[in-house]
Amino acid sequence: MVTAYVMVKASTGDVDRLKESMLNLDDGVKSVNIVAGDVDFIVKADVESPAEVKTIAASIHEMSGIERTQTYIAMD
């Protein structure tokens, strides 16, 4: 099992729509939290492989209203 966190910066104020879109993206997406700080969302994914992390992160990055993403894979 691979756990990853995707930090997401939105370029729109439509956070509810984006949150719902990310939650419905893939079964591997376990949570989407709206946060204060340098990013707008933290997405947690639990998947079988790093390739699946890449697919989820790429799908988020391609969504309308997303400015940038950064992905971190948990090491423990």
Side-chain angles (χ1 to χ4, degrees):
M1 182 66 69
V2 177
T3 299
Y5 299 91
V6 183
M7 308 300 145
V8 181
K9 178 69 176 169
S11 60
T12 179
D14 195 4
V15 293
D16 292 327
R17 176 189 61 84
L18 289 172
K19 180 177 180 176
E20 198 63 34
S21 294
M22 287 184 272
L23 280 170
N24 293 323
L25 188 62
D26 186 278
D27 288 342
V29 175
K30 297 304 177 192
S31 64
V32 177
N33 295 101
I34 299 169
V35 298
D38 294 340
V39 297
D40 298 301
F41 302 94
I42 297 176
V43 179
K44 180 181 180 185
D46 287 322
V47 293
E48 293 298 319
S49 70
E52 290 177 80
V53 173
K54 181 180 177 183
T55 300
I56 290 171
S59 295
I60 293 170
H61 188 76
E62 292 170 0
M63 287 181 178
S64 175
I66 300 299
E67 186 176 312
R68 68 176 188 277
T69 61
Q70 282 187 289
T71 304
Y72 299 90
I73 294 179
M75 302 301 286
D76 63 352

